[in-house]
Amino acid sequence: MWLPLHVEGELFCGEAGPESPSYDEQLMERVVERDNLIRALKQVERNGGSPGIDGMTVEALAPYLKHHWPRLKEALLRGAYIPQPVKRVEIPKPGGGVRKLGIPTVVDRFIQQAILQVLQPEWDPEFSESSFGFRPGRNAHQAVTRAQRYVKEGYTWVVDMDVEKFFDRVNHDKLMSEVAKRVKDRRILRIIRRFLEAGVLEHDALHETTEGTPQGGPLSPLLANLLLDKLDRELERREHRFVRYADDCNIYVRSRRAGCRVMRRVSEFLSNRLKLKVNEAKSAVARPWQRKFLGFGFSRFDYRRRISLEAIKRFKERVREISSRTRGRNIAGIAAELGRYLRGWKAYFGFAEALSPLKELDSWIRRRLRCYLWKQWGRRGYRELRNRGVSRDLAWNTAKSAHGPWRLSRSPGLAFALPASYFVSLGVPTLYVKGSSQPNRRGT
């Protein structure tokens, strides 16, 4: 953390401010407690992120709070704090189109994080056991494992539901009515409503926000889970087997007919009760091995976890971007960046049980890097091969070959000169580990 501990004490100290009549109405006092604020500041600094509309960076947050916190605290305790509009940022979606993020200022992110740390421990234990997204102690791997269990139990049809532009379409009144059932402190209710209605700055124009909760703020995932918990409870009431991760919901049934009936009724529930709409283009009733869930799919006969084709396609696009010649970098720089990406990717997709795609991707990555180096060597290719121990004849035949760099990247000469161990020595990890435990044909 930027501030030393003795400064932290000075930063978040002072009188507690006016107290509310009961413990339930003292949520704001708990939000502005010193220990909670220090944890919030550290978390915002760890999360990083780009500045909001005021241009303040995460690094500048602590010095700013050192001088301005008493004023901010007094406004929070009086219920008079006014958040700033969020900055609209568009990022491309893996499947095409763009996702619109709303980036709050770092001060607003800090306040949202402090509120989150008070509300989440109270709300989260009441959420459904079938909800896995953005919850402490829960993750995407657990969600995929739960889905796999249902498929193995014989629920071999999936109602794959995607809520259309969920974060952009959340009804404020519906959401705030759910918040009001759990929060008695009117100051918390007021500031959450103000965060929802803070407005959006897009292309230098300020737009009102009458619906939606901005992606990019710490509170948004908790508020999303709160609203969609209504869907979870309805599915539990109907005794469905389902897994939900944020706005992605998969319901597992035994027949296509049952799946079509569930799709229709759940769509009606979302429309009538939550004012949300199912994205018909991305939703379907199908076999689990025909759909993807959180980047994974299941093999058709033994239901093993496998990496989806879309995830592999995105992986190759990213590797091509990193290893592009137009970036003008040496192999060490490319290997360092590629190594960081591969380690993160492997940490997530190494959870797959069908591992043959990992072996194929390892081979493909080595071809990409050999191709890059062969192009970089140019006319000195023969000399580079000889320096790496390739025989005179093989080096000559490789250097004088009429084949292009991509074809030569799998030639014996380049494979000998640039073996897998060479790229590992540069920091490029292998995705497939020989001898790793794999499930049998039954998937156990």
Side-chain angles (χ1 to χ4, degrees):
M1 188 174 174
W2 184 86
L3 294 176
L5 290 178
H6 71 276
V7 178
E8 288 178 355
E10 297 173 5
L11 179 57
F12 300 125
C13 66
E15 298 298 326
E19 293 190 355
S20 302
S22 67
Y23 181 80
D24 288 343
E25 295 178 344
Q26 289 181 347
L27 278 181
M28 188 60 81
E29 278 73 18
R30 292 159 58 190
V31 167
V32 300
E33 284 179 355
R34 176 181 178 274
D35 290 344
N36 186 57
L37 296 172
I38 291 173
R39 285 196 299 124
L41 180 57
K42 289 180 178 179
Q43 187 60 50
V44 171
E45 291 177 333
R46 279 195 296 268
N47 290 343
S50 59
I53 65 170
D54 60 355
M56 184 188 298
T57 63
V58 171
E59 292 75 19
L61 177 59
Y64 176 86
L65 292 175
K66 181 178 180 181
H67 294 94
H68 297 277
W69 174 244
R71 174 180 58 81
L72 295 174
K73 178 180 178 180
E74 191 270 339
L76 289 169
L77 289 173
R78 285 196 299 111
Y81 181 81
I82 306 294
Q84 296 190 63
V86 300
K87 181 173 70 174
R88 177 73 79 204
V89 176
E90 295 183 349
I91 60 173
K93 288 184 178 181
V98 296
R99 175 178 287 110
K100 294 184 177 182
L101 297 184
I103 308 299
T105 65
V106 291
V107 173
D108 286 341
R109 298 209 294 267
F110 164 71
I111 294 172
Q112 286 192 35
Q113 181 65 36
I115 296 172
L116 173 71
Q117 291 170 179
V118 171
L119 296 182
Q120 189 160 47
E122 295 186 358
W123 294 3
D124 192 81
E126 300 178 359
F127 290 157
S128 170
E129 283 296 310
S130 297
S131 168
F132 292 88
F134 308 110
R135 297 183 60 189
R138 289 172 168 257
N139 56 47
H141 288 173
Q142 294 170 338
V144 174
T145 300
R146 177 72 64 87
Q148 184 183 30
R149 189 184 85 190
Y150 290 146
V151 175
K152 289 183 176 181
E153 289 175 354
Y155 296 88
T156 55
W157 286 88
V158 60
V159 182
D160 186 356
M161 305 193 72
D162 181 87
V163 181
E164 184 174 314
K165 298 181 179 179
F166 171 74
F167 285 93
D168 296 330
R169 299 281 175 82
V170 168
N171 183 280
H172 289 173
D173 292 334
K174 289 286 184 182
L175 176 57
M176 289 307 303
S177 73
E178 293 302 316
V179 176
K181 293 176 183 177
R182 293 164 173 80
V183 173
K184 303 303 179 185
D185 192 326
R186 293 183 178 276
R187 296 165 298 179
I188 296 293
L189 294 174
R190 193 176 299 128
I191 195 171
I192 291 177
R193 170 74 79 165
R194 286 173 177 168
F195 277 125
L196 295 174
E197 299 176 348
V200 174
L201 187 66
E202 185 173 15
H203 305 303
D204 296 326
L206 183 61
H207 305 279
E208 292 184 356
T209 47
T210 58
E211 61 180 5
T213 175
Q215 287 179 271
L219 262 179
S220 291
L222 178 64
L223 297 177
N225 275 331
L226 177 63
L227 184 63
L228 289 174
D229 190 60
K230 299 287 288 182
L231 171 63
D232 298 342
R233 298 309 178 187
E234 179 65 16
L235 295 176
E236 289 174 349
R237 187 184 68 81
R238 300 182 184 187
E239 299 183 345
H240 288 310
R241 277 84 175 164
F242 72 98
V243 182
R244 184 177 64 79
Y245 193 95
D247 55 337
D248 289 332
C249 184
N250 279 7
I251 307 167
Y252 294 87
V253 296
R254 292 188 182 273
S255 69
R256 181 177 183 84
R257 182 179 178 182
C260 292
R261 182 176 65 250
V262 169
M263 174 71 82
R264 183 178 66 255
R265 292 180 178 177
V266 173
S267 298
E268 292 173 354
F269 175 84
L270 287 171
S271 177
N272 298 334
R273 297 288 298 276
L274 300 182
K275 306 301 181 185
L276 295 171
K277 183 180 179 181
V278 171
N279 188 329
E280 296 182 1
K282 295 183 178 180
S283 303
V285 177
R287 294 291 196 177
W289 49 87
Q290 296 172 330
R291 307 294 292 180
K292 62 180 176 64
F293 182 52
L294 302 177
F296 293 93
F298 302 112
S299 54
R300 181 169 183 175
F301 298 107
D302 52 13
Y303 311 136
R304 290 189 299 166
R305 298 185 298 270
R306 60 176 178 81
I307 305 169
S308 71
L309 296 178
E310 292 85 349
I312 292 176
K313 180 181 178 181
R314 292 197 298 271
F315 172 86
K316 288 188 173 183
E317 289 173 352
R318 179 59 180 145
V319 172
R320 288 190 186 100
E321 180 183 331
I322 293 173
S323 59
S324 171
R325 286 192 70 211
T326 59
R327 303 182 71 191
R329 303 174 65 189
N330 61 28
I331 192 64
I334 289 175
E337 184 177 355
L338 185 59
R340 289 191 295 270
Y341 174 69
L342 293 182
R343 282 187 286 273
W345 194 89
K346 182 179 179 180
Y348 184 77
F349 286 103
F351 183 63
E353 295 170 316
L355 300 180
S356 57
L358 297 181
K359 185 184 294 187
E360 295 169 3
L361 288 174
D362 276 333
S363 176
W364 180 82
I365 291 168
R366 289 193 291 270
R367 287 193 67 186
R368 284 286 306 178
L369 295 176
R370 287 175 187 141
C371 182
Y372 184 91
L373 279 171
W374 184 249
K375 291 178 181 178
Q376 192 176 65
W377 289 345
R379 294 187 177 184
R380 70 176 193 275
Y382 173 80
R383 185 167 63 253
E384 292 286 352
L385 291 175
R386 292 288 290 136
N387 290 340
R388 286 166 169 76
V390 180
S391 68
R392 186 190 305 271
D393 289 344
L394 183 56
W396 180 260
N397 290 337
T398 304
K400 295 303 180 181
S401 173
H403 296 306
W406 180 246
R407 178 80 175 268
L408 286 176
S409 65
R410 63 185 303 176
S411 66
L414 280 176
F416 184 89
L418 302 170
S421 58
Y422 169 74
F423 298 113
V424 171
S425 70
L426 290 177
V428 180
T430 56
L431 301 176
Y432 175 81
V433 179
K434 187 177 181 179
S436 61
S437 60
Q438 297 185 49
N440 58 27
R441 292 291 294 174
R442 290 183 174 271
T444 59

